[in-house]
Amino acid sequence: MPEKLIFEKSVPGRRAVVFPELDVPALDLDSLIPKELQRKEPAKLPEVSENEVVRHFTRLSQMNFGVDTGFYPLGSCTMKYNPKINEETSRLPGFARLHPYQPEDTVQGALQLMYETTVDLSEIAGMDFGTLQPAAGAHGELTGMMIIRAYHQSRGDVKRTKVIVPDSAHGTNPATAALCGFKIVEIKSMPNGEVDVEALRKAVDDETAGLMLTNPNTVGVFDPNIQEIARIVHDAGGLLYYDGANMNAIMGYARPGDMGFDVIHFNLHKTFSTPHGGGGPGACYVGVKDFLVPFLPKPVVQFDEDQNRYYLDYDRPQSIGRVKAFYGNFGVVVKTYTYLRAMGGEGLKRASGNAVLNANYLLSLLKDHYHVAFDRTCMHEFIITPKNLKDTGVRTLDIAKRLLDYGYHPPTIYFPLIVDEAMMIEPTETETKETLDSFAEAMINIAKEARENPELVTGAPRKTIVGRLDEVRAARQPNLRYTE
Amino acid sequence: MNYVPHTEQDQQAMLKSVGKNSIEELYHDIPADLKLKRDLQVSGGLSEIELRRLLKGLADKNQHLDECGSFLGAGAYDHYIPAFIDQLLLRSEFYTAYTPYQPEISQGTLQNIYEYQTMICELTGMDVSNASMYDGASALAEAAVMACEQTRRKEFVISDAVHPEYRETVQTYTESQNLTGKPVAFKDGVTDLEQVKALVNDKTAAVIVQYPNFFGNIEDLKGLAEIAHAQKALLVVAVADPVSLGILESPGALGADIVVGEGQSFGNPVSFGGPHIGFFAAREKYVRRMPGRIVGATVDSNGQRAFVLTLQAREQHIRREKATSNICSNQALNALAVNMALSAIGKQGLQEMARQCLQKAHYAFNRLTALPGVEAAFPGKPFFKEFVIKLPQDPERVNEALFKEKIIPGLPLKRFYPELGNALLVCVTELRTKAEIDLLAERLGGLK
Ligand SMILES: Cc1ncc(COP(=O)(O)O)c(C=O)c1O
C-alpha cells in the first residue's frame, strides 16, 4: 500500500506542536511589520497530529532500504556498515549544540577534533595538510580544482585552462572542472581499464592545468603506471588531482601523496563509515601538498603550541575563499573522528585489505556466470556485465530489478560509461563470507532464470512496494510538488 | 573496534577461491616502491567504552547552548526541535540508505523529498524546488551562476547586507567562471535602492539580496524586483532565516525569480555550523537550469502513484561537463528533518513560531536600546528576529564579560563590518525566555 502524502492527511485546525504562552507583552503586529510586508496567505503546511506525523515517517522508513536492511554492493559508493557509536557521539550536546560563532575558547574540543581529523586524514593520504570545509565529494573536487587554478594564477601562469579527465571518470570530475572555468580534455582508457599513457602524453601541453584521476579507478583497477602518469603531467607543468572516492581499497597500503598527487579529496561518507543519509549529508576532506597550503579555503584550523590552543586562521591572503558558510559538515566529521579512533592505522589497513579480499572473492564466484569486464585481480570493486546473456534479451537493468526481489540492493549500473551494460559491484569489508555466498547464489540464479524464463527477470520486481516506474512520464510531464 | 567479520578460516577459504596466498598478493598492481613500508600513524583501536570516554572528554571541553543563554544567530539558529524527530531520523532505513537510485526500494526517501519540495515552494512562493543543496551559502553561489547562465550575462549586483560568508562563497564560485559581482552598499540597514538602480543595466544577470537581511532588516523586494526586471535581470533572494516566512510575505509574491536559503532552523541542530541544508527554489520556467536532484511524481507499472528522481538531463552523471552543477550527494537527511519539523509545526504552528520570535526580539530590542549608551544601529527599520545595536564598549569585551555569567549577548560585527564600530547582532528565537532577555539587559546595563 502506498502511503498518502502528509498534505493529504491534513485536516484544518489539527496540530502537533504547541508553543508556550508568549511570556513578553505582545505588541501590535502592524506596528512592527508594515502591512504590505506581512504574508497574505499562510504557507499551506500540513495540519496533522503528532501521532500521524510519527506514523507517516515510520511508514516512509519502511519503504526504504539501507545498509542495515541488507547487502548494498553499490559500486563506487562504499556502503559499509555505519557504526552506531558514531551516531551517539555526534549527538553529544557538546558537539551538536555548538553555535559556529561561539568564542573560540568555548569550542576548543570541537577545534581539536577537527584538527586531529585533518592531521590523521593527511597521514592516510600522504598529504601535508587539509581542510574539512567541503560538504561532499563533488564539493571537495570543486575546492581542489579551485586550488589548482589559484596556484597557476599566483605564478602568472594564466594560460593553463585545460583539465584532462579520463573517459572512465565519475561525472562530477568533468562537471567540476567546467564549474571552475576549465576546458575538459577527455582521454580514452585502454582496453584493460588503465589510462592510455601515450594518449596522455599527446594531450598535455603548456595549457594543461592538471589531471583528475581516481586510483584505483572507476573500473576497480589500480593503475600501475601512476608514477609515469604523474611525471608526464608534472613535466608539462600541470598538477594531479586525486578523486579519493575509492580510497577504501588502499588505506595503509599506498598513499596518493606518495604516488605524486598534489591535491586529493576523501568522501568521509564512503571510506570513513559515516552514513549516506539517503543522499547526504556527506562530508569531505581536501588534502594538499605543502606548496598548496596557502590556497586552502579559509578559515583553516590551526594549533598554537605555545599557547596550547586551537584556533581558526582567517588571515590567509592567498586562500581561494570559502566554499560554504562556517566550517564544514562538522556533525559528520565527529563520526569520522570516532571511526578513526575506533580503527587506528592498523584497523584501517585491515579494512582495506578485507574490502579487496571480499571483492576478489565475490568476483571469483561470479566470473563463470557473467562477463567480466576486466579480467584481472581487482581492488575493492569490479565490473561484470550480462554480455554472455545477450541472446536472452535480459539487460543490466532487469538484473538489477530482479535482485530487488531477492532482497538485495543492486550494484551501481550503467557506470562507468566506458563499459557497456556495466554492473559495478563493491561488497566492502564489513560483509561476511556467507552474505557474499548468498548474493552470488542469487546472481547465478538470475543468470539461470534469464536463460530459462527471461520474463521472470524482465518483469521484475514483483515483491517491492511499487513496480517499475514510468520515468519518461516523470520527465515529460514534471509533477514536482503537491497541489490540492 | 573491528568491523571486519572474517575469521582466519574465512580468509583462508576466500583466498583459496581467489587463487592467492595472502591479501598482500592482491595488491600486486601497486608498484613496490609505492607501497607504504611503515604503519599509518593514526592512533586508535579503541573499544566502544574507550570511544565514549574519549569523545565525551572532547565534547566536555566545549560549552554548548544548553549551558548558556545564547543570542547568537547570523545564519545558524537555535530553534525548538520536536522530540520525535531525532528518534525517527535514527530509523536506519533512512540514514543508512544511499541516494535513491533504485526507486522501487527508495520510496521513503523519494516521497520525503517530494513533500519537502512542496513545503519549500509553499514557504518561498516559488513553483519548483530541488532536493537540497549543501547549505544556504553554496545555494546562493549556485543561484548566482545559474542566473548568469540563464540570462547569458556575466555580471550581477549583490548587496553588502547579504551574510558575509554567503558573499564570500558567491565570490569563490563566480570568480572562477569570470563572473563579476558588483557590491551594493546598505543605507540605514537595508540595501540602497538608489545605488542598485544606478548599477543595474542590460549586462546585469541578477540582483542578489537577503530577506530578512544579515542585520535582520526587511528588504524592499518589490522595489528591487522592479529595478531588476526593468533590465531583464533576475531577482535572487537568499533566506537564511525561513522562520520569518511564517509572518513575512513570500519572496515569490514580491517578484523574486530564484529563492534560496538555509533550512537548518527546521529540525536541524546548529551543530557548529553543519550539516545544515540549503534550499533552492525557482519559477517553473527555470527548472531545467536548476542544480541538484529533483524528485517527481509518476506512476508505476500498476498505474499507482510513485516517486522518482527526474529531469536528470541537467545532472553531472548524464551531462558531465555540460551539467548545470557538479552537485551529487546533497543533504537529504537534513531535508527529511525539515519535512518532519514543518509537518509537526504545521500551518498554524509556523505562524505562531514566527510571531513569538518577532515579539521576543522586539521586547529584547526595546529593553536593550533603553539602556544608557546602547543605541539601535538602524532606528525605525522593521526587523524580524535579529537586530543590531551599538554598544558603548567593545562588544568582544562585552561578550567575554557576560560569558562568565553564561550569556552570549550576540555576534560582534567588527570582523565583518569594521565601519559599524561597536555593533552587536542580537538574535532572539522562541526558545529564549523573558527571564533570559531580562538578565541580558540587566547584565549589559551593569557593565562599566
Ligand atoms: C568516483 C566518484 N567521484 C566523485 C563522487 C561524488 O561524491 P559526492 O556524492 O560525495 O559528491 C562519487 C560519488 O558517487 C564517486 O563515486
Side-chain angles (χ1 to χ4, degrees), chain A residues 88 98 102 249 322 479, chain B residues 27 52 61 63 114 172 272:
Chain A
E88 185 180 296
L98 294 183
Q102 278 180 227
R322 285 186 163 278
N479 168 351
Chain B
Y27 286 89
R52 274 204 177 120
K61 288 190 187 175
Q63 270 181 303
Y114 183 83
T172 311
F272 203 42

Side-chain angles (χ1 to χ4, degrees), chain A residues 370 384-403 410-415 417 419-423 443 446-447 449-451 453-461 468, chain B residues 102:
Chain A
Y370 288 89
I384 57 173
T385 83
K387 200 171 171 181
N388 54 320
L389 301 171
K390 206 158 193 173
D391 51 332
T392 67
V394 166
R395 302 185 58 217
T396 285
L397 183 71
D398 304 314
I399 296 168
K401 297 307 177 196
R402 184 63 181 145
L403 275 171
T412 291
I413 54 175
Y414 301 104
F415 175 77
L417 309 178
V419 178
D420 199 31
E421 297 281 315
M423 286 187 272
M443 286 294 287
I446 293 172
E449 289 169 0
R451 279 202 203 82
N453 190 1
E455 288 77 37
L456 211 52
V457 186
T458 53
R468 283 199 206 189
Chain B
Q102 297 290 337

